[in-house]
Amino acid sequence: MSQYRTPPLEPVQISFDIESGSLSPTGPTLVRRAADLQGCFKNERSLAELIANGNPEIYRVVSSVVPETSRELPQSITTIRPGSVAGELFMTKGHQHPDPQGEIYFGLAGEGGVIMFDGINTSWVEVQVGKIAYIPPGWAHRSINTGTKDYKFLAVYPGSAGHDYQWVVNHGMGLRAYLEQGELKLKDFNLT
Ligand code: PA5
Ligand code: MN
């Protein structure tokens, strides 16, 4: 597998293929399956059933060759499968940037959105094809597939921003996204 390039980088053209969600030239690919999302979904029993029932892929992240280092501007394509765990829509783990810096998500295919949480305030921004969701510094973010097909988006972020997953474990995400009677329903994160 190709890996990140080492700075200094030469100017480069990067192609992306929306159908496959791939980048060329490409960096590493990260695949997260149901078992990697333990602690994320409210209904832990339903998640355990899904894990026992084939542990399917929930999403994958294909990174570009640009490294996650200071002053660089890496990109990645995330592909989230359609589906839910007891009605709670498939999602990414979600993280905070330890170094508070902004990020953009650009919709490539399917339908989705981003739950954002700054520890007090919550936000939901839809991401359709051709739309950008802006994630300001200090807002944890988790992507959701709200549709019936793969949801794909391009992320562009400062290389030194980092990924703090423990922040979400400690603080939650403010909201949870459900599909009820075919409609998106955002509910309080700590619903009983
Ligand atoms: O940098 C980002 O915010 C994205 O590329 C995410 O890392 C990606 O969507 C996967 O989400 P997570 O890192 O929360 O598993
Ligand atoms: Mn991020």
Side-chain angles (χ1 to χ4, degrees):
M1 182 172 69
S2 354
Q3 291 294 324
Y4 298 119
R5 289 201 180 153
T6 310
L9 269 66
E10 295 293 319
V12 62
Q13 182 192 66
I14 300 170
S15 311
F16 58 88
D17 181 61
I18 295 177
E19 193 58 38
S20 62
S22 61
L23 290 158
S24 177
T26 189
T29 295
L30 171 75
V31 175
R32 290 214 211 270
R33 299 185 171 277
D36 300 311
L37 286 147
Q38 290 180 83
C40 295
F41 293 94
K42 185 72 182 174
N43 191 323
E44 289 176 5
R45 191 139 57 111
S46 293
L47 181 67
E49 281 167 17
L50 190 63
I51 294 167
N53 206 5
N55 191 25
E57 176 177 329
I58 306 297
Y59 66 97
R60 66 175 51 209
V61 185
V62 177
S63 296
S64 88
V65 288
V66 178
E68 292 184 339
T69 57
S70 183
R71 297 177 187 278
E72 299 294 344
L73 199 60
Q75 324 92 45
S76 60
I77 294 180
T78 300
T79 301
I80 309 178
R81 304 279 189 225
S84 72
V85 173
E88 189 174 6
L89 289 161
F90 281 0
M91 58 169 113
T92 56
K93 281 182 78 164
H95 61 269
Q96 180 64 280
H97 294 163
D99 181 0
Q101 302 200 61
E103 178 164 13
I104 60 164
Y105 285 174
F106 176 70
L108 298 177
E111 293 165 62
V114 201
I115 291 172
M116 294 185 232
F117 184 47
D118 68 358
I120 299 169
N121 305 292
T122 59
S123 178
W124 166 254
V125 176
E126 281 182 11
V127 180
Q128 293 102 349
V129 175
K131 303 282 184 194
I132 289 174
Y134 179 61
I135 302 159
W139 289 74
H141 38 291
R142 165 176 280 166
S143 294
I144 313 287
N145 185 342
T146 59
T148 52
K149 299 178 185 157
D150 284 356
Y151 163 53
K152 296 175 207 261
F153 63 90
L154 176 76
V156 184
Y157 53 100
S160 58
H163 293 78
D164 181 356
Y165 295 98
Q166 191 59 38
W167 191 96
V168 172
V169 174
N170 295 344
H171 299 88
M173 274 306 307
L175 295 171
R176 292 181 181 278
Y178 287 81
L179 194 69
E180 288 183 358
Q181 281 92 47
E183 296 283 317
L184 173 68
K185 276 253 158 51
L186 296 170
K187 301 186 181 181
D188 186 87
F189 186 83
N190 297 310
L191 82 162
T192 48

